[in-house]
Amino acid sequence: MGAADIVPGVSGGTIAFITGIYDTLLGSIRAFDLECLRLLLRLDIRGAWAHVNGTFLLCLLAGIATSVVSLARLIAWLLEHHPVPLWAFFFGLILASALVLLRQVRGWTATRAACLLVGVATATAIALAPALNLHFGLPGVFIAGFLAICAMILPGISGSFILVLLGMYGTIIGALKGLDLAVIAVFAVGAAAGLLCFSRLLYWLMHRFHEPTMAMLTGFLFGSLLVVWPWKQVLVWTTGSDGHPRPAQQVPVLPGEFHTLTGQDPLVPLCVVLALGGLALVWLIDHRWGGATREARTG
């Protein structure tokens, strides 16, 4: 999940879903409630730990933090020097994830089909939207954390891509690389606030309207394929926090047009291989871990 969340266009929620821990994750986050506070005030640390499924969250957060810290530099380097092959790999990853979710929607109806289309339209609108500028100090960092975390737990909506749209991606990646504790702390507080608010809504939707919600989440994944399409034309540029130009709005194009526009080799054979690798990886994760976890949960 940490590796996925670093890349603009790839959602950590997607990884949680295909590995079968999504419901457990939402339930654990939702458990930070008044009952948890009551247990803490009574100094019942063990009870509070069990109430929020603390062991699960600790292992998950440790894995995410390790991945973010260790991969931030590598992902930033790949995005700068080899973006097309990297996007091709994630295109295959997300396409396979969308097919996994599509298979889990049981009993298609007109309402569920409409939810699927709403999800596709929403993700498409986000993917093609121009970037904003949220650079007004630590309050902007807090708002960015609040909004990005909501996307991070949604399959198909990338928290990192939301940061790009808000004009805050370079700021946050720079803070992680430079260990700017003030920015990291404010971002974490905003993320925690957003997580506590949004997870309750999503948990309620998942348990009250499970199939329509699943259909909409599947639509989010299909729509987000526009974000990770390897060949893009930049329509609008912006200046990043490092002073270098960054794409603020892009649209997908065919490999031949990409070559004409940029003069770069579209690397089609390599991209096809990497996309197939992403498909195979998701199939392996879903086959080995996701299926077993879902069977254990339903059993």
Side-chain angles (χ1 to χ4, degrees):
M1 287 179 64
D5 278 326
I6 292 173
V7 180
V10 185
S11 169
T14 301
I15 305 301
F17 216 104
I18 63 177
T19 53
I21 66 169
Y22 196 69
D23 286 345
T24 304
L25 175 61
L26 288 181
S28 297
I29 297 171
R30 179 177 174 271
F32 285 89
D33 52 13
L34 293 177
E35 175 63 18
C36 178
L37 180 61
R38 184 182 67 81
L39 291 170
L40 289 174
L41 292 176
R42 291 171 53 188
L43 300 181
D44 186 0
I45 305 300
R46 180 172 296 181
W49 184 262
H51 180 71
V52 300
N53 200 358
T55 302
F56 165 79
L57 288 178
L58 179 62
C59 292
L60 185 67
L61 291 174
I64 291 174
T66 301
S67 183
V68 168
V69 172
S70 61
L71 292 178
R73 292 180 181 274
L74 173 61
I75 295 296
W77 183 82
L78 287 173
L79 283 172
E80 182 176 354
H81 297 284
H82 303 285
V84 172
L86 181 66
W87 288 126
F89 173 75
F90 281 109
F91 183 87
L93 194 80
I94 292 180
L95 176 59
S97 302
L99 296 175
V100 168
L101 263 68
L102 190 66
R103 193 179 62 200
Q104 295 182 33
V105 180
R106 299 181 298 272
W108 281 95
T109 64
T111 299
R112 292 168 189 175
C115 289
L116 176 72
L117 294 177
V118 168
V120 171
T122 301
T124 300
I126 293 174
L128 300 180
L132 303 175
N133 188 351
L134 206 62
H135 292 290
F136 46 90
L138 292 180
V141 173
F142 177 88
I143 294 172
F146 188 96
L147 295 177
I149 199 66
C150 296
M152 285 180 182
I153 61 174
L154 275 176
I157 302 294
S158 163
S160 292
F161 186 66
I162 295 299
L163 291 179
V164 170
L165 291 182
L166 296 176
M168 295 294 289
Y169 182 74
T171 299
I172 302 305
I173 287 293
L176 289 172
K177 290 166 62 177
L179 293 179
D180 187 334
L181 298 182
V183 172
I184 293 173
V186 172
F187 183 81
V189 171
L195 194 60
L196 290 176
C197 294
F198 187 68
S199 63
R200 281 167 167 74
L201 172 62
L202 192 54
Y203 184 88
W204 180 79
L205 289 172
M206 287 286 290
H207 287 78
R208 187 71 180 270
F209 307 102
H210 183 266
E211 300 303 327
T213 303
M214 285 289 298
M216 186 172 293
L217 295 179
T218 304
F220 287 157
L221 274 184
F222 279 114
S224 69
L225 289 173
L226 290 175
V227 180
V228 293
W229 179 254
W231 305 283
K232 306 181 184 77
Q233 176 187 1
V234 179
L235 299 181
V236 179
W237 292 87
T238 187
T239 302
S241 59
D242 56 1
H244 295 110
R246 302 286 184 187
Q249 186 178 17
Q250 303 178 89
V251 293
V253 296
L254 294 175
E257 187 177 355
F258 174 82
H259 176 69
T260 301
L261 291 169
T262 66
Q264 300 177 28
D265 186 348
L267 303 171
V268 175
L270 176 61
C271 289
V272 170
V273 170
L274 289 173
L276 291 175
L279 283 161
L281 179 60
V282 171
W283 177 86
L284 179 65
I285 292 173
D286 183 62
H287 180 71
R288 292 213 168 186
W289 293 287
T293 306
R294 286 191 293 271
E295 287 176 9
R297 188 171 63 242
T298 56

